[in-house]
Amino acid sequence: VEEGLMPHDKNVLGPGLEEERRLFYVALTRAQRHVTLFEAIERDRHGRARPTTTSRFLAELPEGSVNVRQRAVRPEPEPGSKKASAKKRTA
């Protein structure tokens, strides 16, 4: 749940923002017991890795209704592994 995705970039400044907010809350209220929301640490946008910003919709949820966990950090590949050599080739 990130700015640019929820709400979508094209609706941030227009009347579509309220519709996206409504859809977000409808989705949350349909959950029977709990819902898990994720946010990427970074996302490739327009060919570049960019850090994400948490959606404004999460800040609007009632206090105490959200259990926030620490953001996971992607581990660096082990030296000599396939991922490490692929990372080196693309760097």
Side-chain angles (χ1 to χ4, degrees):
V1 182
E2 307 153 19
E3 286 292 315
L5 295 177
M6 181 55 75
H8 192 273
D9 281 337
K10 69 179 181 176
N11 291 322
V12 171
L13 299 175
L17 180 64
E18 290 306 316
E19 178 64 10
E20 289 211 33
R21 181 178 282 114
R22 186 187 72 74
L23 291 171
F24 178 72
Y25 288 118
V26 166
L28 290 180
T29 58
R30 299 279 172 123
Q32 294 293 313
R33 296 180 187 200
H34 71 273
V35 64
T36 302
L37 304 170
F38 292 92
E39 172 188 10
I41 295 170
E42 64 182 29
R43 186 170 298 280
D44 283 345
R45 298 195 70 173
H46 309 294
R48 298 185 66 190
R50 300 181 190 273
T52 62
T53 303
T54 302
S55 173
R56 66 187 79 191
F57 294 165
L58 291 180
E60 298 170 358
L61 294 174
E63 196 169 321
S65 66
V66 178
N67 179 13
V68 178
R69 295 187 182 179
Q70 180 77 21
R71 294 176 96 180
V73 178
R74 183 179 356 179
E76 288 294 319
E78 293 291 322
S81 71
K82 288 182 180 181
K83 287 186 178 181
S85 58
K87 186 175 181 178
K88 187 182 288 185
R89 282 195 307 264
T90 59

